[in-house]
Amino acid sequence: MLTRIKDSATKLAPRLIEIRRHIHSHPELSGQEYQTSAFVAGVLSSSGLHVQEGIGKTGVIGELQNTGTDQRVLAIRTDMDALPIQERTKLEYASHTEGVMHACGHDVHTTVGLGTAMVLSEMAEELGGKVRFLFQPAEEIAQGASWMVNDGAMANVSAILGVHVFPSIPAGSIGIRYGALTAAADDLEIIISGESGHGARPHEAIDAIWIASQVITALQQAISRTQNPLRPVVLSIGKITGGRAPNVIAD
């Protein structure tokens, strides 16, 4: 079977490259993956899978069913959303959407999920159990997984495989690690309330931007001085907003 899988994947490679470039050219933000979902559903349907759309708002499920008595379900999960980043690669298949691009590899993830479905559909009668392909929306805002779970995407699942590209691993290789592979992620939001005033009289105001700069610096110092350096911890401040005019102290 392994030889058949390799042969099938090789035969499908040109089509999968085409699929990946199409998805890359038409990125959609978290929770807005309408065209991507429709495209995914079309490819799955054409490969003979039973397809459900609108699972977890814009998620898609494709199930490869067998005719045997084995009721185990293996889920394969990939994600579909893009990021609010402007693409400047100038590639022929670069993003057609202003300010949105697939900068985290979800176009590849979706293609891997579709390619796996296409390959396994050719040998469905030989598989034990069922294979359920989960195409998840809104991974970047850490919402899509719970949306799909709440809509029953994980019902009767015996095991699940998650997929992510990893640039440091050579192409054609798969990385496996026992135990945790990537860290949990949490969002941190800090609101600093100051008091507005004239930019020429900062002593009469409470400058929220100046305070914010001290907080950011202190947080980075705290990481290096309070955490075990042998246990990786990362704190990144990705967005800071404040102020209304260049000559007014920010509140």
Side-chain angles (χ1 to χ4, degrees):
M1 181 177 284
L2 182 57
T3 300
R4 286 182 59 197
I5 290 173
K6 289 182 177 180
D7 291 344
S8 180
T10 300
K11 182 178 66 176
L12 286 170
R15 171 62 175 148
L16 295 177
I17 291 172
E18 181 183 85
I19 288 173
R20 183 257 167 168
R21 291 183 176 183
H22 171 81
I23 296 172
H24 189 90
S25 296
H26 301 88
E28 295 174 297
L29 294 173
S30 300
Q32 303 174 29
E33 307 92 336
Y34 301 106
Q35 293 184 29
T36 306
S37 296
F39 180 79
V40 166
V43 174
L44 293 173
S45 294
S46 66
S47 296
L49 278 78
H50 175 69
V51 178
Q52 295 175 271
E53 299 181 67
I55 306 299
K57 300 184 180 181
T58 50
V60 180
I61 292 178
E63 190 153 284
L64 191 60
Q65 300 177 332
N66 69 349
T67 56
T69 58
D70 192 339
Q71 295 301 308
R72 292 176 300 170
V73 178
L74 171 65
I76 298 177
R77 171 263 181 205
T78 57
D79 40 21
M80 304 185 293
D81 53 330
L83 286 163
I85 296 174
Q86 181 65 38
E87 181 164 7
R88 296 192 175 93
T89 63
K90 298 182 180 179
L91 294 167
E92 59 178 328
Y93 54 89
S95 172
H96 295 173
T97 306
E98 187 74 17
V100 182
M101 77 169 291
H102 275 292
C104 195
H106 294 191
D107 52 334
V108 179
H109 300 172
T110 301
T111 305
V112 169
L114 290 173
T116 305
M118 294 161 75
V119 169
L120 293 184
S121 67
E122 297 178 359
M123 51 192 72
E125 295 182 359
E126 303 171 43
L127 298 176
K130 303 176 181 179
V131 183
R132 183 178 301 166
F133 295 90
L134 308 178
F135 293 87
Q136 178 198 313
E139 188 275 342
E140 295 294 356
I141 60 172
Q143 297 291 323
S146 59
W147 294 348
M148 292 194 76
V149 169
N150 291 338
D151 276 359
M154 290 293 290
N156 303 316
V157 168
S158 307
I160 184 168
L161 301 176
V163 175
H164 208 295
V165 292
F166 209 81
S168 62
I169 297 176
S173 302
I174 297 175
I176 298 173
R177 173 177 172 176
Y178 292 96
L181 178 61
T182 55
D186 290 303
D187 289 337
L188 173 68
E189 181 177 315
I190 300 173
I191 298 175
I192 296 173
S193 299
E195 186 174 335
S196 187
H198 196 287
R201 298 182 177 87
H203 60 289
E204 297 176 355
I206 301 175
D207 189 345
I209 286 181
W210 174 74
I211 295 171
S213 68
Q214 306 302 308
V215 170
I216 292 171
T217 300
L219 286 172
Q220 299 301 335
Q221 292 174 343
I223 290 293
S224 68
R225 285 295 172 265
T226 63
Q227 301 300 311
N228 184 340
L230 299 180
R231 299 185 63 186
V233 178
V234 175
L235 173 64
S236 297
I237 306 296
K239 180 180 179 180
I240 177 169
T241 303
R244 294 178 175 81
N247 61 341
V248 178
I249 299 295
D251 60 356

mmCIF file of all heavy atoms in Angstrom, residues 188 190 192 209-227 235 237:
data_model
loop_
_atom_site.group_PDB
_atom_site.id
_atom_site.type_symbol
_atom_site.label_atom_id
_atom_site.label_comp_id
_atom_site.label_asym_id
_atom_site.label_seq_id
_atom_site.Cartn_x
_atom_site.Cartn_y
_atom_site.Cartn_z
ATOM 1 N N LEU A 188 -2.811 38.196 25.574
ATOM 2 C CA LEU A 188 -2.658 39.103 26.707
ATOM 3 C C LEU A 188 -3.038 40.507 26.252
ATOM 4 O O LEU A 188 -2.522 41.007 25.248
ATOM 5 C CB LEU A 188 -1.208 39.091 27.208
ATOM 6 C CG LEU A 188 -0.832 40.117 28.282
ATOM 7 C CD1 LEU A 188 -1.536 39.773 29.587
ATOM 8 C CD2 LEU A 188 0.676 40.150 28.475
ATOM 9 N N ILE A 190 -3.529 44.442 27.780
ATOM 10 C CA ILE A 190 -3.325 45.364 28.897
ATOM 11 C C ILE A 190 -3.870 46.729 28.498
ATOM 12 O O ILE A 190 -3.523 47.249 27.431
ATOM 13 C CB ILE A 190 -1.835 45.498 29.260
ATOM 14 C CG1 ILE A 190 -1.259 44.134 29.653
ATOM 15 C CG2 ILE A 190 -1.638 46.509 30.383
ATOM 16 C CD1 ILE A 190 0.249 44.149 29.866
ATOM 17 N N ILE A 192 -3.978 50.575 29.628
ATOM 18 C CA ILE A 192 -3.344 51.572 30.498
ATOM 19 C C ILE A 192 -4.165 52.854 30.420
ATOM 20 O O ILE A 192 -4.314 53.444 29.348
ATOM 21 C CB ILE A 192 -1.885 51.826 30.078
ATOM 22 C CG1 ILE A 192 -1.074 50.539 30.265
ATOM 23 C CG2 ILE A 192 -1.288 52.980 30.871
ATOM 24 C CD1 ILE A 192 0.328 50.616 29.741
ATOM 25 N N ILE A 209 1.235 56.474 26.868
ATOM 26 C CA ILE A 209 2.215 55.891 25.949
ATOM 27 C C ILE A 209 3.560 55.696 26.646
ATOM 28 O O ILE A 209 4.219 54.663 26.479
ATOM 29 C CB ILE A 209 2.361 56.768 24.687
ATOM 30 C CG1 ILE A 209 1.123 56.594 23.800
ATOM 31 C CG2 ILE A 209 3.638 56.424 23.922
ATOM 32 C CD1 ILE A 209 1.153 57.392 22.519
ATOM 33 N N TRP A 210 3.975 56.676 27.432
ATOM 34 C CA TRP A 210 5.242 56.532 28.173
ATOM 35 C C TRP A 210 5.142 55.366 29.160
ATOM 36 O O TRP A 210 6.064 54.557 29.268
ATOM 37 C CB TRP A 210 5.550 57.831 28.918
ATOM 38 C CG TRP A 210 6.755 57.721 29.805
ATOM 39 C CD1 TRP A 210 8.061 57.676 29.427
ATOM 40 C CD2 TRP A 210 6.745 57.593 31.242
ATOM 41 N NE1 TRP A 210 8.885 57.537 30.526
ATOM 42 C CE2 TRP A 210 8.099 57.495 31.642
ATOM 43 C CE3 TRP A 210 5.743 57.565 32.193
ATOM 44 C CZ2 TRP A 210 8.454 57.367 32.988
ATOM 45 C CZ3 TRP A 210 6.109 57.442 33.529
ATOM 46 C CH2 TRP A 210 7.456 57.338 33.910
ATOM 47 N N ILE A 211 4.014 55.271 29.839
ATOM 48 C CA ILE A 211 3.819 54.158 30.783
ATOM 49 C C ILE A 211 3.855 52.823 30.031
ATOM 50 O O ILE A 211 4.471 51.854 30.488
ATOM 51 C CB ILE A 211 2.490 54.316 31.535
ATOM 52 C CG1 ILE A 211 2.534 55.569 32.418
ATOM 53 C CG2 ILE A 211 2.204 53.074 32.385
ATOM 54 C CD1 ILE A 211 1.199 55.927 33.038
ATOM 55 N N ALA A 212 3.204 52.764 28.863
ATOM 56 C CA ALA A 212 3.182 51.530 28.074
ATOM 57 C C ALA A 212 4.585 51.085 27.701
ATOM 58 O O ALA A 212 4.906 49.889 27.731
ATOM 59 C CB ALA A 212 2.330 51.716 26.820
ATOM 60 N N SER A 213 5.435 52.047 27.349
ATOM 61 C CA SER A 213 6.809 51.691 26.977
ATOM 62 C C SER A 213 7.561 51.094 28.158
ATOM 63 O O SER A 213 8.366 50.162 27.990
ATOM 64 C CB SER A 213 7.553 52.924 26.447
ATOM 65 O OG SER A 213 7.783 53.873 27.480
ATOM 66 N N GLN A 214 7.286 51.593 29.356
ATOM 67 C CA GLN A 214 7.919 51.028 30.541
ATOM 68 C C GLN A 214 7.400 49.624 30.833
ATOM 69 O O GLN A 214 8.158 48.730 31.219
ATOM 70 C CB GLN A 214 7.644 51.942 31.757
ATOM 71 C CG GLN A 214 8.018 53.389 31.576
ATOM 72 C CD GLN A 214 9.485 53.565 31.240
ATOM 73 O OE1 GLN A 214 10.354 53.045 31.931
ATOM 74 N NE2 GLN A 214 9.770 54.286 30.160
ATOM 75 N N VAL A 215 6.107 49.423 30.640
ATOM 76 C CA VAL A 215 5.498 48.111 30.887
ATOM 77 C C VAL A 215 6.083 47.068 29.942
ATOM 78 O O VAL A 215 6.442 45.960 30.356
ATOM 79 C CB VAL A 215 3.967 48.185 30.737
ATOM 80 C CG1 VAL A 215 3.355 46.788 30.737
ATOM 81 C CG2 VAL A 215 3.370 49.034 31.848
ATOM 82 N N ILE A 216 6.187 47.420 28.646
ATOM 83 C CA ILE A 216 6.712 46.479 27.659
ATOM 84 C C ILE A 216 8.145 46.082 27.990
ATOM 85 O O ILE A 216 8.512 44.903 27.962
ATOM 86 C CB ILE A 216 6.630 47.083 26.244
ATOM 87 C CG1 ILE A 216 5.165 47.222 25.825
ATOM 88 C CG2 ILE A 216 7.388 46.218 25.237
ATOM 89 C CD1 ILE A 216 4.971 48.002 24.549
ATOM 90 N N THR A 217 8.962 47.068 28.322
ATOM 91 C CA THR A 217 10.355 46.788 28.674
ATOM 92 C C THR A 217 10.446 45.928 29.938
ATOM 93 O O THR A 217 11.210 44.954 30.002
ATOM 94 C CB THR A 217 11.117 48.103 28.899
ATOM 95 O OG1 THR A 217 11.081 48.882 27.701
ATOM 96 C CG2 THR A 217 12.573 47.832 29.256
ATOM 97 N N ALA A 218 9.625 46.245 30.927
ATOM 98 C CA ALA A 218 9.654 45.493 32.182
ATOM 99 C C ALA A 218 9.206 44.049 31.981
ATOM 100 O O ALA A 218 9.757 43.122 32.590
ATOM 101 C CB ALA A 218 8.774 46.180 33.219
ATOM 102 N N LEU A 219 8.211 43.833 31.117
ATOM 103 C CA LEU A 219 7.743 42.477 30.866
ATOM 104 C C LEU A 219 8.837 41.621 30.235
ATOM 105 O O LEU A 219 9.026 40.453 30.613
ATOM 106 C CB LEU A 219 6.511 42.508 29.952
ATOM 107 C CG LEU A 219 5.201 42.974 30.601
ATOM 108 C CD1 LEU A 219 4.120 43.134 29.536
ATOM 109 C CD2 LEU A 219 4.757 41.994 31.673
ATOM 110 N N GLN A 220 9.559 42.189 29.286
ATOM 111 C CA GLN A 220 10.642 41.436 28.649
ATOM 112 C C GLN A 220 11.761 41.131 29.645
ATOM 113 O O GLN A 220 12.336 40.038 29.633
ATOM 114 C CB GLN A 220 11.194 42.221 27.451
ATOM 115 C CG GLN A 220 10.181 42.480 26.357
ATOM 116 C CD GLN A 220 9.588 41.206 25.781
ATOM 117 O OE1 GLN A 220 10.193 40.143 25.833
ATOM 118 N NE2 GLN A 220 8.383 41.299 25.239
ATOM 119 N N GLN A 221 12.070 42.070 30.514
ATOM 120 C CA GLN A 221 13.088 41.826 31.536
ATOM 121 C C GLN A 221 12.615 40.760 32.529
ATOM 122 O O GLN A 221 13.405 39.924 32.979
ATOM 123 C CB GLN A 221 13.396 43.130 32.272
ATOM 124 C CG GLN A 221 14.102 44.164 31.401
ATOM 125 C CD GLN A 221 14.256 45.500 32.101
ATOM 126 O OE1 GLN A 221 13.577 45.772 33.094
ATOM 127 N NE2 GLN A 221 15.123 46.345 31.574
ATOM 128 N N ALA A 222 11.328 40.770 32.849
ATOM 129 C CA ALA A 222 10.788 39.803 33.803
ATOM 130 C C ALA A 222 10.903 38.388 33.260
ATOM 131 O O ALA A 222 11.211 37.442 34.007
ATOM 132 C CB ALA A 222 9.332 40.143 34.113
ATOM 133 N N ILE A 223 10.669 38.217 31.955
ATOM 134 C CA ILE A 223 10.788 36.889 31.350
ATOM 135 C C ILE A 223 12.201 36.341 31.545
ATOM 136 O O ILE A 223 12.408 35.194 31.930
ATOM 137 C CB ILE A 223 10.440 36.945 29.851
ATOM 138 C CG1 ILE A 223 8.935 37.193 29.650
ATOM 139 C CG2 ILE A 223 10.871 35.659 29.142
ATOM 140 C CD1 ILE A 223 8.050 36.066 30.110
ATOM 141 N N SER A 224 13.194 37.187 31.291
ATOM 142 C CA SER A 224 14.584 36.721 31.359
ATOM 143 C C SER A 224 15.083 36.544 32.783
ATOM 144 O O SER A 224 16.065 35.834 33.018
ATOM 145 C CB SER A 224 15.502 37.703 30.618
ATOM 146 O OG SER A 224 15.565 38.940 31.309
ATOM 147 N N ARG A 225 14.412 37.172 33.744
ATOM 148 C CA ARG A 225 14.917 37.132 35.113
ATOM 149 C C ARG A 225 14.041 36.339 36.082
ATOM 150 O O ARG A 225 14.418 36.129 37.233
ATOM 151 C CB ARG A 225 15.092 38.571 35.647
ATOM 152 C CG ARG A 225 16.316 39.258 35.047
ATOM 153 C CD ARG A 225 17.591 38.556 35.486
ATOM 154 N NE ARG A 225 18.781 39.052 34.790
ATOM 155 C CZ ARG A 225 19.301 38.502 33.706
ATOM 156 N NH1 ARG A 225 18.728 37.432 33.172
ATOM 157 N NH2 ARG A 225 20.388 38.992 33.141
ATOM 158 N N THR A 226 12.882 35.891 35.634
ATOM 159 C CA THR A 226 12.011 35.136 36.538
ATOM 160 C C THR A 226 11.721 33.727 36.043
ATOM 161 O O THR A 226 11.168 32.920 36.802
ATOM 162 C CB THR A 226 10.660 35.857 36.737
ATOM 163 O OG1 THR A 226 9.962 35.927 35.481
ATOM 164 C CG2 THR A 226 10.856 37.261 37.277
ATOM 165 N N GLN A 227 12.094 33.421 34.793
ATOM 166 C CA GLN A 227 11.791 32.112 34.222
ATOM 167 C C GLN A 227 13.073 31.296 34.029
ATOM 168 O O GLN A 227 14.128 31.848 33.714
ATOM 169 C CB GLN A 227 11.085 32.266 32.879
ATOM 170 C CG GLN A 227 9.789 33.051 32.965
ATOM 171 C CD GLN A 227 8.782 32.389 33.884
ATOM 172 O OE1 GLN A 227 8.512 31.194 33.788
ATOM 173 N NE2 GLN A 227 8.221 33.170 34.814
ATOM 174 N N LEU A 235 7.167 35.836 25.162
ATOM 175 C CA LEU A 235 6.144 36.859 25.297
ATOM 176 C C LEU A 235 6.362 37.877 24.184
ATOM 177 O O LEU A 235 7.407 38.522 24.111
ATOM 178 C CB LEU A 235 6.230 37.545 26.663
ATOM 179 C CG LEU A 235 5.316 38.750 26.854
ATOM 180 C CD1 LEU A 235 3.855 38.321 26.785
ATOM 181 C CD2 LEU A 235 5.594 39.446 28.181
ATOM 182 N N ILE A 237 4.692 41.191 22.169
ATOM 183 C CA ILE A 237 3.679 42.243 22.079
ATOM 184 C C ILE A 237 3.512 42.552 20.592
ATOM 185 O O ILE A 237 4.387 43.138 19.958
ATOM 186 C CB ILE A 237 4.104 43.506 22.849
ATOM 187 C CG1 ILE A 237 4.464 43.168 24.302
ATOM 188 C CG2 ILE A 237 2.998 44.565 22.782
ATOM 189 C CD1 ILE A 237 3.324 42.632 25.122
#
